Amino acid sequence: MSDSTRAAARVPVEERLFSLVLALVATESGLTKDAILSTVQGYRQRFSAGGNNASLERQFERDKDDIRDLGIPLETVTPPEEDGNSQNTRYRIPKGEYDLPGDITFTAEEITLLGLAATVWREGTLSGESQRALMKLRSLGVTEIDPVIGVAPRLRTREAAFEPLRTALERHVVVSFPYVKPGDASARVRTVAPLALVQHSGRWHLYAIDMDIDERRTFLLSRMVQTPRSSGRTFDVPDDAESFAETALRDLDRIWQRNVATVRAEPHTHAWFRLSRLHDAEAIDDDVFRLHFTDINILADEIASFGPEAEAIAPPSLRAAIVQRLTRTWSAHSGAEEKQ
């Protein structure tokens, strides 16, 4: 493995995504794909000037989807005179749409606390790599918006299972964990040989060999009830032509494409804004969206959390799952009120 490949492998996914967001907010006119891949932390280590960057471009496409799934407004801009020439397409995050709404106000005490937090964050977030990347962008003639540090960080915390699984991946060690499968009332212990950790639609998944049935399965980290435990037993990694991560993402993409939901949301509410920002959300009407999903239970949880702001139209199984959640919530609260 070359030094550049090793360096890229050490860049955490969150750092790469954050570096990408930082670079796209820092420019008003946007960045071309080549400028991004050659300068942004997590890409530039693997970028080959004049070489084959196909796998890196696929990674960038997945990262764009993840950023949009987090609710960040990433735009694609093509100059009119360059229409049809994808090499000159530019990507940017309009800072005005990523700022806090103008009608939000803070007390003096809140402003003081936010100022202290921003100072700590400012000192700790921009790594040397990020600073050098910004300097390189300036050298390319990119005019940054001042201040760059004004972007509000929205970093999703990893699940507790992530670090133990990453360690097991590096050491090729079999692990076990209690796992709640959708529809099951209780967790069942799974013993697996981990092959890859991937992020899809903003959520972390483990691609692994289920040792009990000797088949490959994908597990959602948020469904692991307890932290995975190492067995101390190592395993031989299969010699596949395609990387395990690419296999896992391809399988998840296939599921995502197959599952389609139609959801109505009250215009200009939080639900409407959130659903409209989901990757490949298609507006059928002003208040109706067609969405793709990989897990019906996760989508049901999200739509149910919006309360009266959102309603599932199809499929019937999604409507039933949401009704079940809302009924359970109502029963729990009505029971608590009776006891008072």
Side-chain angles (χ1 to χ4, degrees):
M1 182 183 290
S2 66
D3 291 341
S4 62
T5 303
R6 279 194 295 267
R10 288 194 294 268
V11 177
V13 175
E14 290 92 339
E15 183 175 348
R16 186 181 70 243
L17 291 177
F18 177 70
S19 297
L20 177 58
V21 170
L22 187 65
L24 296 181
V25 171
T27 171
E28 189 169 12
S29 59
L31 298 173
T32 63
K33 186 183 296 184
D34 278 351
I36 292 169
L37 300 184
S38 63
T39 59
V40 174
Q41 169 76 343
Y43 299 110
R44 66 174 187 79
Q45 290 87 346
R46 296 164 50 199
F47 180 76
S48 174
N52 185 354
N53 295 294
S55 63
L56 196 58
E57 292 185 10
R58 288 195 296 270
Q59 179 67 72
F60 173 61
E61 294 301 319
R62 291 194 292 266
D63 287 348
K64 284 195 304 178
D65 293 343
D66 285 338
I67 286 175
R68 285 168 173 148
D69 285 340
L70 289 171
I72 300 174
L74 190 155
E75 290 184 349
T76 301
V77 181
T78 303
E81 66 276 9
E82 299 289 347
D83 191 23
N85 185 355
S86 61
Q87 295 300 316
N88 292 323
T89 297
R90 291 177 172 270
Y91 304 90
R92 68 170 190 158
I93 295 173
K95 189 172 179 294
E97 292 189 26
Y98 199 37
D99 286 341
L100 288 173
D103 58 352
I104 292 182
T105 59
F106 299 98
T107 65
E109 291 81 2
E110 289 171 335
I111 291 173
T112 300
L113 290 173
L114 288 170
L116 288 170
T119 300
V120 173
W121 183 76
R122 181 182 297 113
E123 295 299 323
T125 52
L126 280 185
S127 64
E129 289 288 353
S130 297
Q131 293 280 13
R132 285 190 287 274
L134 285 175
M135 290 177 65
K136 188 168 183 180
L137 288 172
R138 294 187 193 110
S139 72
L140 294 174
V142 174
T143 302
E144 67 183 57
I145 297 174
D146 187 36
V148 173
I149 217 68
V151 59
R154 300 188 208 171
L155 300 182
R156 181 168 296 183
T157 305
R158 288 174 176 165
E159 286 86 353
F162 187 94
E163 290 301 332
L165 290 174
R166 186 166 69 171
T167 300
L169 271 170
E170 293 172 352
R171 299 177 180 177
H172 309 312
V173 175
V174 173
V175 296
S176 61
F177 48 82
Y179 189 79
V180 179
K181 195 176 176 183
D184 289 354
S186 59
R188 182 167 68 86
V189 175
R190 302 294 186 94
T191 301
V192 305
L195 300 177
L197 280 166
V198 297
Q199 191 180 50
H200 188 274
S201 297
R203 296 178 177 84
W204 285 101
H205 300 75
L206 172 68
Y207 182 62
I209 301 173
D210 189 325
M211 304 297 281
D212 294 331
I213 58 177
D214 194 28
E215 291 184 6
R216 298 184 185 185
R217 291 287 186 269
T218 301
F219 302 91
L220 191 64
L221 267 63
S222 60
R223 288 210 180 103
M224 297 178 185
V225 179
Q226 296 176 7
T227 303
R229 299 182 61 180
S230 170
S231 67
R233 177 163 53 97
T234 60
F235 65 94
D236 294 327
V237 180
D239 186 17
D240 286 9
E242 187 177 34
S243 76
F244 301 125
E246 288 185 358
T247 300
L249 288 169
R250 187 192 63 236
D251 292 345
L252 288 167
D253 281 339
R254 188 182 298 119
I255 297 171
W256 183 85
Q257 288 285 355
R258 186 174 64 238
N259 294 331
V260 182
T262 306
V263 180
R264 179 181 290 110
E266 189 69 24
H268 310 300
T269 61
H270 172 63
W272 182 86
F273 179 81
R274 178 76 181 95
L275 294 173
S276 67
R277 294 290 182 177
L278 290 179
H279 170 54
D280 270 8
E282 179 186 353
I284 302 175
D285 204 342
D286 290 341
D287 61 346
V288 179
F289 300 94
R290 182 178 289 116
L291 312 171
H292 290 270
F293 62 93
T294 53
D295 190 302
I296 194 170
N297 290 281
I298 290 176
L299 183 59
D301 287 341
E302 183 166 15
I303 295 176
S305 71
F306 295 134
E309 291 183 0
E311 173 195 8
I313 300 174
S317 55
L318 176 61
R319 286 180 60 86
I322 294 170
V323 169
Q324 182 185 53
R325 284 157 173 75
L326 294 176
T327 302
R328 189 165 57 233
T329 301
W330 179 83
S331 298
H333 282 275
S334 61
E337 291 175 356
E338 291 175 0
K339 292 178 181 179
Q340 292 179 354

